[in-house]
Amino acid sequence: MATETGPSTQSEDDQSTLQRWIQRSIRDPQLAYRVTFYTAMIFFLVFTLFPFYWLVVLALTPNHLIVNMGILPGGFNISVFWDVFQQVPIHLYILNSFIIAITTTIIVLLVASLAGYVFGRLQFRGKGPLMLLILIISFFPPAAFILPLFRIFTGNIEILGTTTPDLFNTAGAMIIPFSALMLPLSIFILTTFYAQIPDGLEDAARVEGTTRIGALTRVIMPLSMPGLSTAGILTFIAVYQEFFFSFLMTDGRVENWAPLVWGILNFQGRYSDLYNYMAAASIIGVLPVALLVVIAQEKIVSGLTQGALKE
């Protein structure tokens, strides 16, 4: 009898505790708000900020003390942030990533603006299915394209009797696939914004004698600046921190357009890995993106929310 009533009694106690907490939250909604806030804050601290804190701990701890260290730094070797530039030209790798990300962002915004204008302001047959296809493609995992794109960009595919150019160790081998992968999301964002512009504004510009391209550049794009900023910033960040294509499309030498990820991996040796140098290089490489997000956070949030609410 004791073994049968024990679990039942335990379950009733748990249920009554939960019911009491729910009834108390209904009487005092601020209690539920506080619990939700602290739960979200703990989740944010553990899963978002702790990895960056761990990078700082690794960077400050001398490499021979990393094995036995705890949650606090095992030393304070701040000179590692200068020494990384002596070991590897990490600033040139960052410059490569910056140039590739900026070029890709410009291409994506130019093409996505034209496509967004067509989808957002013109009516044509097949518009719905094409927009749905773009949305589906935007959710494809980039890893699915690695093998075919690698064969194409290394001159191993023959199309209509012509062999594809060998773009390995060039910036084009990364800019072209990055542009293709980021276009669907940017087209969707800009289509949403361009569709919200009143037709009267574009008609007025057309009456003044401007073309559709002129109306796009002089009227629609300036009025859709939050959307353009959001698409550009998201594209820049995604390309700057990309790993798979950047790792495969170059041999890792900085003169061959190897990006930041290769600069960090250069601290891996045959017999030992300089984890403190890798952590310091990662922090230095993250700083430009972190600074960009801090400066543009208002535009990113406003761009995403305006597009979501008005669609």
Side-chain angles (χ1 to χ4, degrees):
M1 295 294 292
T3 56
E4 295 178 359
T5 56
S8 175
T9 304
Q10 181 72 26
S11 175
E12 291 175 356
D13 291 342
D14 292 342
Q15 187 176 11
S16 61
T17 302
L18 178 62
Q19 288 178 343
R20 285 198 299 272
W21 187 87
I22 293 175
Q23 292 173 356
R24 187 180 173 188
S25 300
I26 294 174
R27 290 193 302 270
D28 183 12
Q30 293 297 327
L31 174 63
Y33 297 154
R34 286 195 297 271
V35 171
T36 305
F37 172 78
Y38 287 119
T39 302
M41 183 62 67
I42 293 173
F43 183 87
F44 176 76
L45 291 175
V46 172
F47 292 99
T48 303
L49 292 185
F50 183 77
F52 189 77
Y53 165 77
W54 193 245
L55 272 181
V56 176
V57 171
L58 286 175
L60 294 177
T61 304
N63 202 53
H64 65 281
L65 297 176
I66 284 179
V67 177
N68 297 321
M69 73 175 190
I71 197 171
L72 297 175
F76 195 73
N77 181 26
I78 198 169
S79 64
V80 68
F81 290 100
W82 287 269
D83 294 340
V84 292
F85 294 99
Q86 307 298 324
Q87 301 287 334
V88 173
I90 198 71
H91 57 291
L92 296 180
Y93 285 101
I94 293 176
L95 180 62
N96 286 346
S97 293
F98 194 82
I99 293 174
I100 292 171
I102 284 291
T103 306
T104 304
T105 301
I106 293 173
I107 294 173
V108 167
L109 288 183
L110 287 176
V111 179
S113 293
L114 296 174
Y117 178 84
V118 172
F119 281 107
R121 305 195 63 80
L122 302 181
Q123 298 297 329
F124 58 91
R125 183 176 298 177
K127 176 181 175 181
L130 280 176
M131 196 66 209
L132 179 62
L133 180 62
I134 291 175
L135 272 177
I136 293 174
I137 293 175
S138 68
F139 289 102
F140 280 6
F145 303 103
I146 285 182
L147 184 58
L149 287 179
F150 180 80
R151 288 181 59 81
I152 290 175
F153 291 139
T154 52
N156 291 313
I157 299 292
E158 186 173 314
I159 301 175
L160 300 176
T162 304
T163 304
T164 56
D166 185 4
L167 298 178
F168 188 73
N169 281 334
T170 67
M174 289 169 282
I175 291 174
I176 294 174
F178 290 159
S179 301
L181 290 173
M182 295 306 301
L183 264 176
L185 177 61
S186 299
I187 290 174
F188 178 72
I189 292 174
L190 295 181
T191 297
T192 303
F193 273 85
Y194 290 173
Q196 299 166 6
I197 305 297
D199 294 337
L201 294 176
E202 183 180 359
D203 293 340
R206 296 290 303 280
V207 169
E208 294 294 328
T210 186
T211 62
R212 285 193 179 275
I213 298 298
L216 172 64
T217 57
R218 297 174 183 175
V219 177
I220 297 175
M221 291 179 69
L223 293 175
S224 304
M225 196 52 67
L228 285 168
S229 301
T230 302
I233 292 168
L234 293 180
T235 300
F236 179 87
I237 294 174
V239 175
Y240 184 85
Q241 65 185 8
E242 201 278 339
F243 175 77
F244 291 107
F245 285 101
S246 304
F247 184 76
L248 289 177
M249 294 303 180
T250 70
D251 60 3
R253 290 187 292 182
V254 68
E255 62 270 21
N256 290 332
W257 292 98
L260 173 63
V261 61
W262 267 112
I264 297 173
L265 293 177
N266 278 338
F267 291 107
Q268 287 184 324
R270 177 176 298 180
Y271 302 106
S272 64
D273 297 327
L274 300 175
Y275 294 112
N276 56 338
Y277 282 79
M278 295 173 69
S282 299
I283 294 173
I284 294 172
V286 164
L287 288 180
V289 174
L291 183 62
L292 176 63
V293 172
V294 170
I295 294 174
Q297 60 173 335
E298 186 177 350
K299 290 187 178 297
I300 295 175
V301 174
S302 65
L304 291 175
T305 53
Q306 285 183 27
L309 291 176
K310 293 181 180 178
E311 176 66 8

